[in-house]
Amino acid sequence: MIDDLVSRGTTEPYRMFTSRAEYRLILRADNADRRLTSLGAKLGCVGAERSAVWQRKERGLAEASALVRSLAMTPPALGRHGITVNADGQIRSVADLLGRPEITLARLAEIWPVLGSFRPEIAEQIEIDCRYAAYITRQQADIDAFRRDEALTLPSDLDYAEIGSLSNEVRQKLALVRPATLGAAGRIPGVTPAAVMALLKYVKRDRARLSA
C-alpha cells in the first residue's frame, strides 16, 4: 500500500485488496510475528517481554523445522502405517507428508511420537508452513524470474487482447500506456503482480515461438 501511494499515486479512494500485495502467499497473518517482530524490536516498537516470547518461539520453530525434515520413511514403510503414497522408491520426510491436506501432524505423531512434543503454537505453524511450501517455492521462482527480467523490452505492437489471463481493466491500462519494459508495466496503477507474470510468460513464449 505504501509503495502504491508513494510511487504510483491514486486517482480514487484507495482500496486494499490482497491481489495488490506483491507476494501475498508470504504475507500471511499466521507468520506476521516471524516477519515483523525482530524488525519492530530494532525500531524500538517491540518491548523486551514481547521480544523474548518471539525468540523462544523462533528457537522452537527452528528445531521443529529441522526435525520434520529429518524424519522420513520409504513408501512401503509408510504403507504399513496406513499412509499410502506413490510406490516410486522416494523417501518421504514428515515435511513432505504434511504438504498433503489429508495428513496432519497428529496423525504422523502416531508414527513418530516425538512430533507430539511440539507446543501448540509450534505445531500449528509447522503444519501451515509445510502446507504452503510448494506454493511458496513456485512464487519465489516467479519473484526471481521477474527480478531477472524486469528490464525485458515489450514489443511496441503487443496485442494485449491475446493474453487470456489478463482482466479487461488491465488490458485497457496496458494498451493505453504501452509500457516499454516489464518493470514499467508493473508500475502502472492497477496492474497486479499476477498480471505482470502473465505478461512475462506470454512475451517469452512468443519470442521462443518466433525463434524456433
Side-chain angles (χ1 to χ4, degrees):
M1 179 184 75
I2 292 171
D3 181 61
D4 280 356
L5 296 177
V6 171
S7 65
R8 302 183 184 187
T10 182
T11 57
E12 60 182 21
Y14 191 90
R15 294 167 293 169
M16 292 184 67
F17 298 117
T18 54
S19 61
R20 284 183 173 171
E22 287 181 292
Y23 312 123
R24 60 185 181 275
L25 283 179
I26 298 172
L27 302 177
R28 307 189 311 271
D30 66 90
N31 67 7
D33 55 353
R34 179 185 294 177
R35 291 184 287 106
L36 301 173
T37 306
S38 296
L39 179 61
K42 289 178 182 178
L43 296 173
C45 301
V46 174
E49 182 178 353
R50 178 71 187 89
S51 187
V53 169
W54 161 241
Q55 288 170 12
R56 178 171 179 260
K57 181 179 179 181
E58 186 177 35
R59 288 192 298 271
L61 284 173
E63 293 168 1
S65 181
L67 184 61
V68 299
R69 283 164 175 74
S70 66
L71 298 175
M73 274 189 183
T74 62
L78 288 168
R80 289 193 288 272
H81 287 282
I83 296 178
T84 303
V85 298
N86 290 335
D88 53 10
Q90 296 294 317
I91 295 176
R92 265 72 169 191
S93 70
V94 169
D96 295 330
L97 295 169
L98 286 174
R100 300 172 56 171
E102 74 276 13
I103 297 180
T104 64
L105 196 60
R107 172 69 179 87
L108 296 180
E110 296 172 6
I111 304 173
W112 292 281
V114 67
L115 298 175
S117 65
F118 295 160
R119 300 194 306 275
E121 71 273 17
I122 299 297
E124 180 184 31
Q125 189 66 64
I126 288 296
E127 282 196 322
I128 293 172
D129 287 349
C130 292
R131 293 278 189 271
Y132 276 98
Y135 302 103
I136 289 176
T137 297
R138 288 200 290 271
Q139 183 176 80
Q140 187 61 52
D142 286 344
I143 294 169
D144 293 341
F146 175 74
R147 287 176 177 167
R148 285 194 306 270
D149 296 303
E150 190 172 7
L152 179 73
T153 301
L154 302 178
S156 59
D157 59 348
L158 182 59
D159 185 358
Y160 295 102
E162 292 293 319
I163 307 176
S165 55
L166 298 181
S167 68
N168 288 332
E169 179 186 4
V170 168
R171 285 197 191 98
Q172 291 169 5
K173 288 177 181 290
L174 290 169
L176 178 64
V177 176
R178 288 282 166 189
T181 65
L182 188 70
R187 287 186 285 275
I188 298 173
V191 176
T192 65
V196 173
M197 290 311 306
L199 182 58
L200 170 62
K201 291 173 182 176
Y202 178 85
V203 171
K204 281 196 161 185
R205 186 168 59 247
D206 191 52
R207 288 185 178 180
R209 179 181 58 82
L210 291 175
S211 62

